[in-house]
């Protein structure tokens, strides 16, 4: 079993940005390909680290807007007091520190795609303003009296259960339905076992290119650890684990001790492969 999996690692052929061997990932890509040519708003759901931004970039690449900008913003990473200005821009003198006019991310993304990541963390007041932008195609900078037209395809992403947030009053129902025209779910990595071997090879190749070294081998015990781990942090956790292992590896081979402790533990006890 291990030898066949090692062969799969060596033979895996992946696209430059996306690995899709599982039915779940292929299904998600099929929906993306179908909707890309339209301006329809897309909602990407799934646990953190599953690759929602990668899928949003693929949607942009396949769309007629591919030559336009792709702009991504994490709505949870910007303080609420600054988020409106970041999204919609501001006029000089509209608040302390506004020393010049500033175009927000909607203006920067005009003609292209804007990814609103962690949309479930958008403050309630801004949810109403975002709804107006989606309905009218116009934004108003902070401190401005006039609106500006923007031509933006909005993609939203979240790890939250927005339906539950709507029921609990934390997210506007009208905005939810406006965003959720087409929904694409990214399953956690533990439910996409077929993606794991080619994804490991893809990430090793990418890290080797970035770090400027040769692509390492992976010994049998380390491979078992990688394949048996549940990857609660999904692709992001896998990527970090492999980079760590490459930095620590001796003689161009990744061994069990090069992996993070949580991943090493996956091979304790019964080493049978699932």
């Amino acid at each position: 079993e291990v030898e066949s999996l090692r062969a799969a690692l060596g033979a895996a052929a992946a696209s430059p940005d996306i690995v899709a061997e599982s039915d779940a990932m292929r299904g998600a890509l099929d929906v993306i390909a179908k909707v890309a040519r339209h301006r329809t708003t897309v909602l990407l759901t799934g646990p953190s680290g599953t690759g929602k931004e990668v899928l949003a970039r693929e949607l942009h690449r396949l769309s007629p807007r591919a030559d336009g900008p792709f702009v991504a913003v994490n709505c949870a990473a910007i303080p609420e007091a600054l988020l409106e200005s970041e999204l919609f821009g501001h006029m000089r003198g509209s608040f302390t520190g506004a020393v010049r006019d500033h175009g927000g991310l909607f203006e920067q993304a005009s003609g292209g795609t804007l990814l609103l990541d962690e949309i479930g963390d958008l403050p309630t007041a801004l949810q109403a303003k975002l709804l107006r932008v989606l309905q009218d195609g116009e934004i108003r900078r902070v401190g401005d009296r006039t609106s500006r037209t923007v031509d933006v395809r909005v993609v939203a992403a979240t790890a939250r259960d927005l339906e539950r947030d709507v029921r609990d009053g934390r997210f506007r129902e009208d905005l939810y339905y406006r965003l959720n025209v087409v929904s694409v779910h990214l399953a956690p990595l533990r439910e996409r076992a077929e993606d794991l071997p080619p994804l490991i090879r893809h990430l090793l190749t990418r890290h080797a290119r970035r770090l400027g070294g040769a692509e390492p081998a992976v010994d049998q015990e380390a491979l078992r650890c990688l394949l048996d781990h549940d990857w609660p942090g999904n692709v992001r956790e896998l990527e970090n684990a492999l980079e760590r292992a490459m930095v620590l590896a001796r003689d161009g081979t990744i061994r069990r001790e090069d992996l993070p402790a949580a991943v090493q533990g996956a091979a304790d006890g019964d080493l049978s492969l699932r």
Side-chain angles (χ1 to χ4, degrees):
E1 284 183 310
V2 171
E3 288 305 317
S4 64
L5 287 167
R6 294 179 74 180
L9 278 175
S15 66
D17 298 308
I18 296 178
V19 171
E21 294 293 331
S22 65
D23 289 342
M25 197 63 183
R26 286 178 175 175
L29 286 176
D30 183 55
V31 175
I32 289 296
K34 289 177 179 177
V35 76
R37 64 182 180 272
H38 304 290
R39 189 175 174 175
T40 305
T41 303
V42 175
L43 178 63
L44 304 175
T45 64
S48 178
T50 49
K52 294 187 287 295
E53 181 171 342
V54 173
L55 210 61
R57 289 183 181 275
E58 181 70 359
L59 175 66
H60 175 71
R61 186 185 70 82
L62 294 174
S63 76
R65 297 170 172 267
D67 291 334
F70 177 89
V71 178
V73 58
N74 186 327
C75 298
I78 301 175
E80 182 174 348
L82 300 177
L83 187 54
E84 181 178 3
S85 172
E86 284 296 306
L87 290 175
F88 306 125
H90 62 256
M91 303 302 290
R92 184 179 62 179
S94 56
F95 54 85
T96 302
V99 296
R100 61 178 62 88
D101 293 349
H102 169 70
L105 296 177
F106 269 92
E107 290 181 69
Q108 294 172 32
S110 193
T113 303
L114 176 62
L115 171 63
L116 299 175
D117 200 4
E118 302 299 345
I119 191 68
D121 292 290
L122 194 69
T124 304
L126 289 186
Q127 291 178 26
K129 294 183 179 182
L130 174 60
L131 180 62
R132 288 199 296 273
V133 175
L134 295 175
Q135 289 174 338
D136 303 332
E138 295 180 342
I139 59 98
R140 181 173 295 182
R141 292 180 178 180
V142 176
D144 202 352
R145 296 182 178 181
T146 60
S147 298
R148 302 164 188 258
T149 300
V150 288
D151 175 23
V152 176
R153 200 252 184 89
V154 172
V155 178
T158 184
R160 297 178 64 96
D161 183 345
L162 287 188
E163 288 188 359
R164 184 177 62 188
D165 286 348
V166 169
R167 291 194 301 269
D168 294 343
R170 289 193 295 266
F171 200 83
R172 291 180 64 108
E173 183 177 29
D174 47 5
L175 177 58
Y176 171 70
Y177 287 117
R178 191 76 187 189
L179 293 170
N180 192 30
V181 178
V182 175
S183 179
V184 180
H185 182 71
L186 277 77
L189 191 53
R190 65 177 178 274
E191 296 177 9
R192 294 157 40 196
E194 302 93 332
D195 289 336
L196 191 51
L199 189 56
I200 292 170
R201 177 56 59 208
H202 172 71
L203 292 173
L204 288 175
T205 301
R206 192 169 75 184
H207 281 320
R209 188 180 303 117
R210 184 174 61 84
L211 295 173
E215 186 176 320
V218 182
D219 78 5
Q220 176 177 310
E221 193 175 17
L223 180 58
R224 282 190 171 186
C225 292
L226 291 168
L227 296 175
D228 279 354
H229 188 53
D230 282 339
W231 300 109
N234 296 295
V235 179
R236 187 176 296 123
E237 181 189 4
L238 173 63
E239 185 171 10
N240 290 343
L242 291 175
E243 181 173 1
R244 176 190 193 276
M246 288 180 66
V247 171
L248 297 179
R250 309 182 312 278
D251 306 322
T253 299
I254 292 175
R255 298 173 175 82
R256 179 181 178 181
E257 60 266 25
D258 301 322
L259 299 170
V263 181
Q264 291 182 35
D268 288 340
D270 183 4
L271 296 181
S272 61
L273 296 174
R274 290 192 295 272

